[in-house]
Amino acid sequence: MTTPETRSPAVRAGHPPRRTAARREQAPVVAVVALGGVIGATARYAASLWWPTPPGGFPWATFWTNVAGCAVIGVFMVVVTEVRTAHRLVRPFFGTGVLGGFTTFSTYAVDIQRLTGSGHTATALAYLAGTLCAALAAVWLAATATRRLAAAATRHVSKRRPRRKQRGATGSPDAPAGTEGKKSL
């Protein structure tokens, strides 16, 4: 008994399916996100070891990690979207990987759960609201400051460039301005 052919006609004809090409294109992106995530999560973990949270205490390490990470995200996104063109893997590596692994919503949520579970509801609410407000303020301030610095740098560079003298009808730089296109006698 023969089995029916289960492959598509494209595969039978020796052509790989399109999803193989898509996987090949996405593989570097997944790899750099994973690598960046390892780096960011390791840095966050090191911060928590360096600055441990006592039971019932305010989780300062996670708070400042999230706030600093949001500020860096603000700078980074302005630079790669408005100031410079970056390689296609820079954003997934640094933005999604490193900064996504460094900042942490899951630890933030677990810290709130632990604080409320241990009867420190006021601290949990302060942490909940404080982190949200500080992180949003950090990303906004950092993005705004980066845009202003980039604009000032652009103005500074354009002022340093020598201006070309305007040429008159004779082609001489000494010809009076506004004589372009007029014949000289």
Side-chain angles (χ1 to χ4, degrees):
M1 178 174 197
T2 61
T3 59
E5 187 65 45
T6 57
R7 291 191 203 177
S8 72
V11 172
R12 283 191 304 253
H15 301 290
R18 286 190 177 163
R19 67 176 172 251
T20 303
R23 284 184 193 148
R24 234 178 288 132
E25 288 178 18
Q26 291 300 315
V29 175
V30 172
V32 298
V33 168
L35 177 63
V38 167
I39 294 167
T42 301
R44 174 176 38 85
Y45 181 66
S48 71
L49 292 177
W50 180 68
W51 195 355
T53 302
F58 194 90
W60 289 107
T62 305
F63 175 83
W64 286 114
T65 295
N66 285 336
V67 172
C70 285
V72 174
I73 287 170
V75 171
F76 176 69
M77 291 308 294
V78 169
V79 169
V80 300
T81 60
E82 299 173 24
V83 177
R84 295 190 182 264
T85 303
H87 186 276
R88 74 178 191 95
L89 297 177
V90 170
R91 238 169 113 172
F93 170 73
F94 192 71
T96 306
V98 174
L99 294 175
F102 184 66
T103 59
T104 170
F105 185 77
S106 59
T107 303
Y108 169 66
V110 169
D111 287 342
I112 293 168
Q113 183 182 17
R114 285 184 184 157
L115 286 168
T116 55
S118 64
H120 297 91
T121 308
T123 304
L125 290 174
Y127 177 54
L128 175 78
T131 299
L132 180 63
C133 292
L136 289 172
V139 74
W140 182 79
L141 288 169
T144 301
T146 303
R147 282 187 185 104
R148 287 185 180 171
L149 286 171
T154 302
R155 283 192 304 271
H156 179 71
V157 168
S158 65
K159 284 182 182 178
R160 290 181 44 189
R161 290 187 182 144
R163 292 185 175 244
R164 296 174 72 186
K165 290 186 177 181
Q166 198 172 23
R167 295 184 181 267
T170 62
S172 166
D174 298 324
T179 61
E180 300 82 19
K182 297 181 181 176
K183 294 183 181 178
S184 59
L185 299 173

